[in-house]
Amino acid sequence: MQASTPLKDNMMANYVPIYVMLQLDIITTDNILKDKAGLEKQLKQLHGAGVDGVMCDVWWGIVESKGPKEHDWSAYKTLFQLVQDCKLKMQVVMSFHQCGGNVGDIVNIPIPQWVRDVGETDPDIFYTNRVGNRNIEYLSIGVDNQLLFCGRTAIELYSDYMKSFRENMAEFLDAELFTDIEVGLGPAGELRYPSYPQNQGWVFPGIGEFQCYDKYLKADFEEAASNAGHPEWGLSDDAGEYNNTPDETGFFGSKGYLSEKGKFFLTWYSSKLIIHGDQILDEANKAFLGCKVKLACKISGIHWWYKDDTHAAELTAGYYNLNDRDGYRPIARMLSRHYGAFNFTCLEMRDSEQDAAAKSGPQELVQQVFSAVKREEVLMAGENALERYDRDAYNQILLNVRPNGVSKNGPPKLKMEALTFLRLGDELLKKKNFRIFKAFVKKLHANQAYAADPRKYTTVVPLERSKPEIPMEELLKATEMLEPFPFDDQTDMSVGGALNDFIDGLLNMIPFF
C-alpha cells in the first residue's frame, strides 16, 4: 500500500464515510446541469445530515458526443463547483458504458454516436451472445487493442478521456474535491460481461449467457485453444439461454463446466476480464498520477445461484467462482498493483429476503469477497444494489461495513473504506425516510462527529505509479479458496427495529416533527 500516517483519534478509525449517488440524469444528454437550484437545496440537506459526499457518473456519451477528442466538460464543471460550494466531497465514475437497459436505469444515455457508427460496419465491436444478439452498452473487450476508432484502440479512447478529465478538472483535483476516481470497466460501470441484460429479455434469477461470440473474442479463444494443443475446441454451445436454470443446460447441468475443456474456457473467459481491467486501470493510474485520489473499480454482487454448485450466474458474468475456487481474489490481486479500491455491491441484502428457488447467498458472497480483498491488502468499499430506505437494509449494510463491530483501540480488523448509497431523490428525502437515514449516517460514522477532512479517518496521499504487471500465473494462484473471516451475526451500531418503526409512525403524524 502507499505510505500512510497514523490516525490520531482511535474512534475515528471506525468512521465510514458515505457518498450518496446523484440522479443518473443530473447532466442531461444535451450536456446541461438539470435543475441547479433544486439540486443545491438537496445537497445542502445532505450536508446538514452529515453526509460526506456524493457520487456522480461522468458519461462518455455526453462529454465526447460531438466527435473524437471533442470533450465538453462545461456542465460537469458547473456541477462540481456546486458540490464544492455545498462543502461535500465527490466520488466520480468514468462511465464508458450506456445508461439504459439495466436494473434501475430510468434514462437513456448511449455511448458516443461516432463510436456506434463504427459498429454499423463492424458490429463485432460489441459484445455478442451465442445466437448473435449484439449488446451496444459497452465495447467488447475483444477490441481493447484494435485500431478501429479513428486510428485509436478502445483502450486509447478511455485513456484520452481520463487524461482530458485530469487536464480540465485540475482546479478541483488540486482542491481535493474528489476522493475517488472509479473507472468504468464494463456494463453498469462494473468489471463484468453483460451476461444478464434486461433489454434482451433477461429476468431474475436467470443464469445469463456467455458474451464472447464476437469475431475478435472468438479468434482470441481459437488461438488460445490451439496454443494449448486443442485446435478442435470451439466456444460452448450448450450453456443455455438467459432465463434458464443451471439444470436446464448441458454446460452446467451435465457438468460440462468441470470438464477439461470447460475449465480451459472459463479460465480464458475470466482471465480476459482481469486483463481488461488491468490495462485500463494502468491507464487511469498514469492519467491521475500524483493526484490525491484513490482509484476504484466496481464488481457486481451476483448473488443468485451462489448456493448452487455451478455458481452459473457468476460464471457467465466472468467471475470464475466455485465452492473450491475463489473467483474474486485474483481480481483483488490485480487491483493491488494500482493502489485501487474494490467496490462491491449488494451490501443491503439478506439471504432470508431472497426467493429460495434462486439459491441466493448475498451474505455469504459479501463475506467471501471481503475476506478475499482483505487478504490481498486491498481497500474494500461497497454500495447497495437496490434502493432501500428501511432499517433492515441499513442494519445489514452497517454489519457489512464493519463485520466485527467498532474497535475502541484503533482501526477495526475489518472495515470498508467508504459506502456509496443509492440514491438521491424525493424518496430518500421524504420526512420519515430522511429521519431514519440521518440515524444511519451517524452509525456509519461510529457515532463520531462529521469530519470535513478525510485525513481524520483515512490516509490522503498522492497516487503513486502502478507497481509492475503481475503475471497471470501469479494472479491465478489467488484462486485457492480459503475460509472466510468470521462476521458477527448483527451490527453493534443498529439503527433500531420494529419498535423504532412504530415510534416513527407516530412521529410521522406530527406535522412539525
Side-chain angles (χ1 to χ4, degrees), residues 130-192:
R130 182 178 53 83
V131 297
N133 292 329
R134 313 288 186 179
N135 189 313
I136 62 170
E137 62 183 302
Y138 188 81
L139 293 174
S140 165
I141 58 179
V143 299
D144 274 356
N145 300 295
Q146 302 284 341
L147 287 163
L148 299 172
F149 306 97
C150 305
R152 291 187 289 167
T153 66
I155 297 285
E156 288 169 337
L157 298 181
Y158 309 141
S159 177
D160 289 343
Y161 183 83
M162 292 187 285
K163 288 173 186 171
S164 178
F165 182 94
R166 162 85 186 255
E167 291 163 7
N168 284 273
M169 302 303 175
E171 63 178 300
F172 298 115
L173 285 160
D174 291 344
E176 299 179 20
L177 172 65
F178 310 122
T179 56
D180 302 84
I181 308 284
E182 186 172 287
V183 184
L185 299 170
E190 298 166 337
L191 180 62
R192 64 172 175 87

Side-chain angles (χ1 to χ4, degrees), residues 261-279:
K261 177 188 171 184
K263 289 177 179 178
F264 178 84
F265 165 71
L266 289 169
T267 301
W268 169 82
Y269 188 70
S270 57
S271 297
K272 292 298 295 182
L273 201 61
I274 293 173
I275 293 166
H276 169 72
D278 190 41
Q279 277 194 281

Side-chain angles (χ1 to χ4, degrees), residues 57 152 288 291:
D57 287 284
R152 291 187 289 167
F288 296 105
C291 298

Side-chain angles (χ1 to χ4, degrees), residues 367-379:
Q367 187 176 8
Q368 179 200 332
V369 170
F370 202 157
S371 301
V373 172
K374 178 71 174 176
R375 284 191 166 106
E376 295 301 318
E377 299 182 352
V378 167
L379 297 172

Side-chain angles (χ1 to χ4, degrees), residues 350 363 367 392 395-400 402-405 485-494:
R350 296 185 298 170
Q363 290 173 253
Q367 187 176 8
D392 285 344
N395 286 333
Q396 188 60 37
I397 292 171
L398 287 162
L399 172 61
N400 283 328
R402 284 187 300 259
N404 304 134
F485 296 129
F487 275 32
D488 294 348
D489 291 332
Q490 55 190 28
T491 179
D492 62 344
M493 281 277 166
S494 171

